[in-house]
Amino acid sequence: MKRLFTERHGGAKPRISEMLDDPCRAGLLDLIRARISEEWFGLAFPFPCQDGQVNAGSDKDKIKGKMSAYGVIWPEDWEQVEQNPTDGQVFDLIEFSFEHIAEPSAFWTHSYWNHSHYSYDQKVGRAKFEEEVNRIFERNGMAFELRQGEVTRMAPTGLQEALAQTVFQTGDMVLDDLLEDARHRFLNRDLKTRRESLEKLWDAWERLKTIEPGRDKKEQAKALLSRASVEPNFLGRLENEAMELTEIGNKFMIRHTETDKVPIGESIHVDYLFQRMFAIIRLLLRSSGRGG
């Protein structure tokens, strides 16, 4: 889709907002209302022609019934009410729509019943719907994107690319699973789940420190860090960073939940801590030939 003037000239909104504003919410609901009326749900919820079983578009009663059964909002119900649906309700609607949407193509007009007959392309329909949802997110500065049918939170610029590019091939299945779990949870839109990503990442850190040969954990960690640099000053900085990150994991409510641990309440604090830990883990993985 074409970039608009403000995007071409540096005036686009930064994608940092973690709550839907009214224009974005309205745009998303209007998009799905339009796709329902334009018969994009006819593959999953067909309306059969009265003269036979040919698909004549979308059966709104079937769509609404399925949405009701799944606890998904019917978008037309929110046109005349003052209360807005929650962000979670809108995201559920988007994911439900992606699951059932397909691009229609009218191949014949049935003049007697005043309707068309349709064929459908689900792959194309999903791709176009994903693009349109993501453009609405983008234009409104939302830190969300629809990816493979799920609304996910976007990582900060820079870290987003690193997360996408990093491959975990440590040779240790438990470590790979911890790192992958941390990445998946970090991109979740729920703050509680994102906090859990720190726990998984710090657990991975503690396991990574024992992956090199050595008599004990201290010697193993030193061997790992020494593979990252032979330059004494840089190596010293890495050792200091490793000790401080370990201390952060012990003092904050990351790996432990005792009452003396400091809770992490802000999303931007989760971003900071995750990015800091992920950076050293990735460096050590790449330096030791374990992916990254």
Side-chain angles (χ1 to χ4, degrees):
M1 190 175 294
K2 183 181 182 294
R3 302 290 97 180
L4 300 183
F5 179 87
T6 51
E7 295 167 293
R8 299 196 307 273
H9 296 276
K13 291 183 179 180
R15 299 187 67 175
I16 58 175
S17 179
E18 297 183 8
M19 295 182 64
L20 297 179
D21 59 19
D22 289 342
C24 184
R25 183 183 292 105
L28 293 167
L29 291 174
D30 285 343
L31 170 64
I32 296 171
R33 288 189 195 105
R35 293 297 167 266
I36 292 173
S37 67
E38 293 163 1
E39 316 296 355
W40 282 55
F41 287 78
L43 180 64
F45 306 100
F47 181 85
C49 175
Q50 291 88 331
D51 288 344
Q53 294 303 309
V54 179
N55 192 316
S58 306
D59 188 323
K60 284 190 175 183
D61 289 337
K62 291 179 183 177
I63 304 170
K64 190 171 185 179
K66 186 70 170 287
M67 286 183 174
S68 177
Y70 276 69
V72 175
I73 62 172
W74 178 247
E76 294 179 2
D77 288 344
W78 298 88
E79 288 184 294
Q80 306 298 328
V81 298
E82 295 183 4
Q83 180 186 5
N84 286 323
T86 66
D87 289 3
Q89 288 175 314
V90 175
F91 294 149
D92 281 350
L93 175 61
I94 291 171
E95 293 185 2
F96 178 94
S97 298
F98 180 91
E99 183 70 20
H100 297 93
I101 212 162
E103 184 180 45
S105 178
F107 62 85
W108 189 66
T109 299
H110 195 154
S111 57
Y112 182 81
W113 293 107
N114 193 29
H115 65 217
S116 297
H117 294 169
Y118 295 92
S119 61
Y120 286 89
D121 190 322
Q122 187 174 68
K123 183 177 180 180
V124 171
R126 284 177 171 177
K128 289 185 176 181
F129 180 71
E130 181 178 282
E131 181 182 13
E132 289 174 304
V133 168
N134 286 334
R135 280 293 281 154
I136 294 173
F137 283 147
E138 182 181 14
R139 288 293 300 171
N140 289 276
M142 297 294 123
F144 299 106
E145 62 180 348
L146 179 61
R147 182 191 302 168
Q148 296 180 339
E150 294 186 3
V151 177
T152 61
R153 181 185 176 276
M154 294 178 65
T157 303
L159 179 58
Q160 183 179 3
E161 295 179 359
L163 284 170
Q165 295 170 359
T166 300
V167 178
F168 304 124
Q169 296 175 335
T170 67
D172 182 283
M173 186 177 297
V174 174
L175 179 55
D176 287 346
D177 288 345
L178 286 169
L179 291 168
E180 190 59 53
D181 196 6
R183 171 163 54 186
H184 182 74
R185 290 172 188 265
F186 179 69
L187 295 174
N188 195 283
R189 62 181 182 261
D190 179 67
L191 179 57
K192 178 178 180 294
T193 304
R194 298 186 61 245
R195 290 194 196 101
E196 293 169 358
S197 74
L198 296 179
E199 177 188 352
K200 298 299 179 182
L201 195 61
W202 255 259
D203 285 345
W205 170 240
E206 293 303 318
R207 189 170 183 90
L208 178 60
K209 288 190 292 185
T210 66
I211 207 166
E212 289 285 334
R215 292 173 297 179
D216 54 33
K217 189 174 183 178
K218 184 176 181 180
E219 187 175 285
Q220 291 171 304
K222 187 173 181 65
L224 180 67
L225 291 165
S226 66
R227 297 189 65 174
S229 178
V230 295
E231 202 284 313
N233 290 301
F234 191 80
L235 179 57
R237 295 290 182 181
L238 283 179
E239 290 173 340
N240 290 338
E241 177 73 349
M243 287 188 290
E244 185 163 346
L245 287 168
T246 299
E247 185 179 5
I248 288 172
N250 291 329
K251 286 191 173 182
F252 286 81
M253 197 178 293
I254 295 176
R255 302 184 66 236
H256 307 284
T257 58
E258 293 89 338
T259 56
D260 63 336
K261 305 307 176 188
V262 181
I264 301 169
E266 299 290 334
S267 179
I268 55 174
H269 297 167
V270 175
D271 283 351
Y272 167 74
L273 291 173
F274 190 97
Q275 189 160 6
R276 187 172 169 184
M277 175 60 88
F278 189 78
I280 193 171
I281 287 178
R282 192 180 188 211
L283 170 64
L284 295 175
L285 292 178
R286 297 180 77 173
S287 299
S288 62
R290 294 185 171 93

